[in-house]
Amino acid sequence: MSSRAVGSGRRTDLAWFITGPLAFIAVFGCLLIALVDPEPYGNWGPAGLLLVALVAAHLPVLSFVVRRQTLSATVTEIPLVLALYYLPPLTVVLVATLAALITQVRRRLGVAKFAFNVARSAAATSLGGLVLLALPPVRGVGPGTWGILFAAVSTITLVTLAAVVAVITLVQGSQAGLEVVRTSTVPLLAAGVNATVGLIIVIAVSTTRWSLLLLAALAVTVAVVYRAYAQFLRQHRTLADIYDLTRAMSQSGQDGTLPDALLGRVRALMQAEYATLWLPAQGRHPEVLLTARVDGRGLLDFSEIPAALRESVVAQRKPVALGVRFGEDRERSALLRAAGAKDAIVVPLWSGQAVIGTLEVVNRLSDVGHFAPADIPVFETVAAHAGVALENSRLVDRLRHDAYHDALTKLPNRRRITAALEESVKIRTEGEVVALLLFDVDGLRQVNESLGHAAGDKVLVEVANRLRASAPSSALVGRASGDEFLVTLRLESADAALELAGQLRDQIRDEMVFDALTLDVNTAVGVAVHPDHGSDAATLLLRVDLAATAAKSVPGSVQLFNPGLESRSLRRLGLAGDLRQALDQDELEVYFQPKVTLRDRRLVGVECLARWEHPTHGTVAPEDFVAVAEHTGQLSRLTEVVLREGLRRSRDWADANQPLPIAVNLAARSLTDQHFPDRVQELLTEYGVPAQRLTLEITESGVLDGTDRPIPTLQRLRDLGVRLSVDDFGTGDSSLAHLRRLPVHEVKVDRSFVQGMATDPGDLAIVNAVVTLSQQFGLAVVAEGVESELTLELLQDIGCEIGQGFLFSRPLPYERLAAWFGAQVDPEATSVGELPRLRVVP
């Protein structure tokens, strides 16, 4: 048995610590043999023949790779038995050492390995010779001779194994040495069989020289049969390894460990020092460069193959094999040698008709082993399976990514945010809260309808980019739905969450420029925190949504969740079915609030307001049931109920010779209904009310949405003769200059400014500016929320003409309004007839 150490060059020099003692043992053994044996050398003719036999016997029959080491089972024991029987011990040492020298020269090993192998052979043979001299002399070919020769050969085999274990332990570590011991069973058995065959040959040759012919024929036959069997064994082992590799890849493709399963088995299958997987960057997938090394733990991010070589494989779409057995390719071989590698095979990885990367093996294990042309088809088969597995793995990863990310913004979606939130709330940290911020983009629907969905998508992508860039690095930013974005992170308190929400909203509000288009985008922000507002993700998501909905009522605001929002939301949910029933059974009432000239307090009209007395909940706030109607598709019915009742009462007042204009609130959604103006015309005709007695009030955010979408409907209503009013003016982001392009007649100043006039100079200045500019534009101005005489006087001073509020009257049902008329007004003759005039102001 022989062995070849192929340790790393970094530590090969350590072998001298074993080579030195081996050389000493060899020299000392030879001297001792020369002193003890009276005829230590001779028989040079047979020695020459046995030298040739020993050199030939050094060809490996079975090889076992242990890490970087290759243990080879040879048939050297057969000629050794013959040499120990026919030659003097010292001659045997000289022949064996010379055979080892010739063999190592042919293998072109490094100096350290060359010296070790020669010294090991000389030392083992000299010790075997001493054992032979220590035992009784060899006589005949009987059992005694068998034992003597077997003992001498066994000594040589065991010394050889001990030297190999020692050098591998020194170079590669104790674990590698133990692996050599564990894998030495088969070589030791082979050595015993070889010694037995050698004894049989001795017996046969001693009987008759002609037996050499039979033995030669038997040797040739055995060699041919063994070669065929070895080839079959290799093929069977290769198929088994490929099957094991394929199964391992299919099992690891789902959990992200595919490269580990692939490269380790490929390296072992090809008996290579390195196996490398390279996948160039593709889409959102970064470049992958991973290498399994024979004595390494885990995967490394480097390769022994030059980048130019693998890139040429991808470009040419065919494998490249470099080494002593693959012909001459000087340019590529030079690149390989420059990288410090002796041979390599690089094959492309295919996905359909596309090359997605390369699979590489470098340096066949052992100094004498090399990759051969027969290895290329095997490696290509492995690469074909690997390409399919890798593409399937990427597909699974892509599907998993798509399942948890938004396709448009590439942000995590609601499912991913929910999962992260679930994990966050499980960890309670003192002095911290888990904050959840919901950003609802205002006006996205108008952008989609006016500029197209492509523009809306650009707005969403820009909002996503700004949130991602502005949010802290610890935050998870995601898209919850069409126009909603979520941000979750740990903060010190709810106040810190509110502060962060305001900062992020300000970042989003900066102008967005798309080509020649400039947009102002605002958001309403809801905030909820764990543990104050919920102990699980579902509850937090529900409550932050309620907070964001509440924030919409004041555009651009930030709203922290409070329990009142939830009770109100639950109440609204319960009202949905009741509202439909109330509309079907005419249970809603219409109240009327007078509109009065401020200078002389003449009654100039009434505003029609819907009221609902629920049989269980009592009085339902208008903003609640209007919101329910809007979300359940009943808003058009609600609008028609109020419009019908107002027109009917206007007709009744006209029939009583007291014509009185009415005003009806109109939802912004009605302006997108192209049939609405026709419906208004039908109702005016049905009740016989002139169009100029009807005023439709639209909120500022509805009529001034930054687009021209409402203008066609407004123009058609104006063409009918209907008066148009902008309600709640001042609460949005628009300016009076925007009104110049709209066909409206009137502006109603929001009550929040009117009620603050007496105490806040800023509110007074705003109302004064609205009144002054509106009059310059030829628009009437109505002040809402007039509740004190001081407010009335201030409005008179700045020239406001009309007002409504509790100072004059609260909204009243029709019957009480008629009584109020009788108690509060006197007819006053004018050039256009009689107008009611307030007698007393409560």
Side-chain angles (χ1 to χ4, degrees):
M1 181 186 74
S2 69
S3 172
R4 295 186 295 275
V6 292
S8 171
R10 293 177 288 111
R11 306 184 64 186
T12 302
D13 290 343
L14 294 175
W16 289 105
F17 289 99
I18 304 299
T19 303
L22 288 175
F24 175 78
I25 292 173
V27 173
F28 180 78
C30 289
L31 291 175
L32 194 58
I33 291 173
L35 293 174
V36 173
D37 190 359
E39 296 182 2
Y41 51 84
N43 297 337
W44 299 110
L49 295 176
L50 290 173
L51 174 63
V52 174
L54 276 173
V55 171
H58 274 88
L59 294 175
V61 176
L62 293 174
S63 296
F64 305 89
V65 178
V66 180
R67 291 191 179 184
R68 292 175 177 270
Q69 319 305 325
T70 300
L71 298 180
S72 298
T74 63
V75 293
T76 53
E77 290 81 9
I78 296 176
L80 276 176
V81 170
L82 295 173
L84 291 170
Y85 182 78
Y86 288 107
L87 301 177
L90 189 57
T91 304
V92 173
V93 175
L94 295 175
V95 169
T97 304
L98 185 59
L101 186 66
I102 295 172
T103 302
Q104 305 310 315
V105 169
R106 181 173 57 85
R107 291 172 179 169
R108 300 177 182 178
L109 298 178
V111 175
K113 296 178 183 179
F114 175 89
F116 167 77
N117 287 331
V118 173
R120 181 208 64 207
S121 179
T125 311
S126 62
L127 290 177
L130 289 174
V131 169
L132 184 67
L133 291 176
L135 297 174
V138 173
R139 300 183 185 279
V141 291
T145 300
W146 302 350
I148 295 170
L149 294 178
F150 197 86
V153 171
S154 297
T155 300
I156 296 173
T157 300
L158 293 175
V159 171
T160 298
L161 177 61
V164 170
V165 171
V167 75
I168 289 179
T169 300
L170 189 62
V171 174
Q172 297 294 327
S174 59
Q175 188 63 34
L178 290 175
E179 289 186 26
V180 173
V181 174
R182 284 195 295 268
T183 57
S184 62
T185 303
V186 173
L188 288 175
L189 290 175
V193 171
N194 292 337
T196 303
V197 171
L199 290 173
I200 293 173
I201 293 174
V202 168
I203 295 173
V205 172
S206 298
T207 303
T208 174
R209 302 284 182 178
W210 292 103
S211 62
L212 289 173
L213 297 177
L214 296 177
L215 292 172
L218 180 62
V220 170
T221 302
V222 169
V224 172
V225 172
Y226 171 76
R227 184 171 183 177
Y229 172 75
Q231 183 177 4
F232 168 78
L233 189 63
R234 281 196 303 271
Q235 291 175 347
H236 176 76
R237 185 175 61 188
T238 300
L239 290 175
D241 290 343
I242 292 177
Y243 172 76
D244 179 65
L245 172 63
T246 304
R247 185 175 60 179
M249 287 190 297
S250 64
Q251 292 175 349
S252 61
Q254 306 294 327
D255 56 13
T257 60
L258 179 58
D260 301 81
L262 170 66
L263 293 176
R265 286 173 170 81
V266 167
R267 190 209 58 73
L269 172 65
M270 300 301 295
Q271 294 186 8
E273 185 177 0
Y274 301 98
T276 300
L277 170 67
W278 177 61
L279 301 174
Q282 179 183 3
R284 67 177 183 83
H285 297 283
E287 181 186 29
V288 173
L289 181 63
L290 296 172
T291 296
R293 190 170 61 184
V294 63
D295 58 351
R297 294 183 178 181
L299 301 182
L300 308 174
D301 56 352
F302 80 100
S303 173
E304 292 290 320
I305 293 291
L309 187 57
R310 71 170 63 92
E311 289 171 0
S312 69
V313 170
V314 173
Q316 297 178 9
R317 303 163 67 89
K318 62 181 182 180
V320 169
L322 299 174
V324 296
R325 299 188 182 182
F326 295 110
E328 189 67 23
D329 188 334
R330 294 182 179 178
E331 182 178 353
R332 289 175 172 173
S333 297
L335 289 174
L336 191 67
R337 285 193 297 270
K342 67 174 182 177
D343 54 1
I345 303 177
V346 185
V347 297
L349 290 172
W350 294 88
S351 174
Q353 299 299 316
V355 176
I356 62 173
T358 61
L359 193 61
E360 312 159 9
V361 286
V362 181
N363 290 353
R364 193 64 172 266
L365 288 175
S366 86
D367 294 291
V368 297
H370 297 277
F371 294 121
D375 294 319
I376 297 178
V378 174
F379 197 33
E380 286 186 306
T381 302
V382 171
H385 288 289
V388 173
L390 286 167
E391 191 61 19
N392 289 341
S393 177
R394 279 192 169 185
L395 176 60
V396 171
D397 179 61
R398 185 161 56 248
L399 291 174
R400 185 181 292 115
H401 179 275
D402 292 345
Y404 287 97
H405 289 78
D406 172 56
L408 176 64
T409 63
K410 311 306 179 186
L411 292 177
N413 58 16
R414 192 180 190 92
R415 183 184 294 109
R416 175 71 181 89
I417 291 285
T418 302
L421 199 55
E422 286 285 6
E423 292 299 320
S424 296
V425 299
K426 291 178 181 177
I427 304 174
R428 182 71 181 274
T429 305
E430 292 296 331
E432 283 188 343
V433 298
V434 178
L436 185 62
L437 286 56
L438 176 61
F439 294 80
D440 192 308
V441 181
D442 290 338
L444 184 65
R445 179 181 176 186
Q446 288 81 357
V447 173
N448 287 333
E449 293 177 352
S450 303
L451 305 176
H453 286 277
D457 289 346
K458 289 182 179 180
V459 170
L460 291 174
V461 171
E462 181 62 21
V463 170
N465 291 338
R466 291 185 180 185
L467 272 178
R468 188 161 35 197
S470 304
S473 58
S474 60
L476 178 62
V477 180
R479 184 184 178 195
S481 62
D483 57 356
E484 294 180 341
F485 293 85
L486 285 167
V487 177
T488 180
L489 74 166
R490 291 185 178 274
L491 291 170
E492 296 82 7
S493 62
D495 291 337
L498 287 172
E499 182 180 355
L500 176 62
Q503 294 172 356
L504 294 178
R505 183 177 65 84
D506 291 340
Q507 292 294 327
I508 295 173
R509 289 187 64 185
D510 288 345
E511 288 185 345
M512 296 183 183
V513 179
F514 305 105
D515 299 328
L517 181 65
T518 300
L519 296 178
D520 291 324
V521 176
N522 206 347
T523 55
V525 190
V527 179
V529 298
H530 165 79
D532 298 349
H533 303 144
S535 58
D536 59 85
T539 302
L540 288 170
L541 287 167
L542 173 64
R543 291 176 173 174
V544 78
D545 191 60
L546 292 174
T549 301
K552 292 180 185 178
S553 60
V554 182
S557 69
V558 177
Q559 175 68 53
L560 181 67
F561 172 81
N562 63 76
L565 298 176
E566 188 168 39
S567 60
R568 185 175 180 182
S569 175
L570 291 173
R571 186 184 181 195
R572 284 184 177 181
L573 182 62
L575 291 176
D578 296 339
L579 178 61
R580 179 175 285 105
Q581 182 179 357
L583 290 171
D584 292 339
Q585 299 179 4
D586 295 327
E587 294 179 356
L588 268 69
E589 293 186 78
V590 176
Y591 281 39
F592 304 89
Q593 185 174 31
K595 298 169 68 175
V596 178
T597 58
L598 301 180
R599 185 66 58 184
D600 50 11
R601 302 186 184 184
R602 287 198 308 263
L603 185 63
V604 294
V606 293
E607 181 179 359
C608 303
L609 302 167
R611 294 294 184 264
W612 183 19
E613 192 71 21
H614 193 278
T616 303
H617 301 295
T619 301
V620 181
E623 57 268 24
D624 285 343
F625 67 78
V626 170
V628 170
E630 186 172 5
H631 285 88
T632 57
Q634 302 179 77
L635 189 59
S636 59
R637 290 189 63 193
L638 178 61
T639 302
E640 184 170 336
V641 166
V642 178
L643 192 55
R644 278 184 173 277
E645 182 64 12
L647 291 175
R648 184 167 71 88
R649 296 307 181 185
S650 179
R651 180 192 61 188
D652 294 344
W653 290 323
D655 291 344
N657 202 25
Q658 290 182 336
L660 192 63
I662 64 168
V664 176
N665 289 297
L666 187 64
R669 184 173 296 180
S670 299
L671 297 179
T672 64
D673 183 0
Q674 60 181 344
H675 302 294
F676 180 72
D678 297 332
R679 187 57 180 156
V680 172
Q681 178 64 67
E682 292 173 1
L683 292 174
L684 289 171
T685 303
E686 180 181 345
Y687 289 99
V689 176
Q692 60 269 22
R693 286 190 194 159
L694 173 62
T695 299
L696 295 177
E697 298 182 359
I698 307 101
T699 60
E700 178 189 4
S701 59
V703 72
L704 295 172
D705 61 356
T707 71
D708 293 334
R709 180 178 55 87
I711 293 180
T713 303
L714 292 174
Q715 190 62 57
R716 289 179 61 191
L717 290 170
R718 180 172 179 134
D719 292 342
L720 292 177
V722 174
R723 288 177 55 81
L724 300 173
S725 175
V726 179
D727 196 9
D728 299 334
F729 191 83
T731 57
D733 294 330
S734 58
S735 67
L736 280 168
H738 294 154
L739 294 176
R740 299 182 62 184
R741 60 188 181 89
L742 297 177
V744 297
H745 304 83
E746 178 182 279
V747 173
K748 297 186 73 174
V749 185
D750 187 68
R751 68 181 66 249
S752 62
F753 300 110
V754 174
Q755 292 173 349
M757 289 174 59
T759 56
D760 189 341
D763 288 344
L764 178 59
I766 291 174
V767 176
N768 187 20
V770 172
V771 171
T772 302
L773 291 175
S774 296
Q775 290 173 347
Q776 291 180 1
F777 294 152
L779 302 174
V781 181
V782 178
E784 296 182 295
V786 182
E787 298 182 359
S788 69
E789 289 288 349
L790 179 56
T791 301
L792 177 62
E793 292 175 4
L794 291 173
L795 289 170
Q796 289 174 341
D797 291 342
I798 64 177
C800 184
E801 300 173 350
I802 304 172
Q804 67 182 93
F806 293 172
L807 178 63
F808 308 118
S809 174
R810 294 176 179 273
L812 300 171
Y814 176 74
E815 294 78 10
R816 291 181 59 190
L817 180 66
W820 184 83
F821 282 168
Q824 302 273 348
V825 302
D826 285 328
E828 177 180 328
T830 66
S831 59
V832 295
E834 292 185 351
L835 285 176
R837 179 180 175 86
L838 293 181
R839 180 188 305 135
V840 179
V841 178

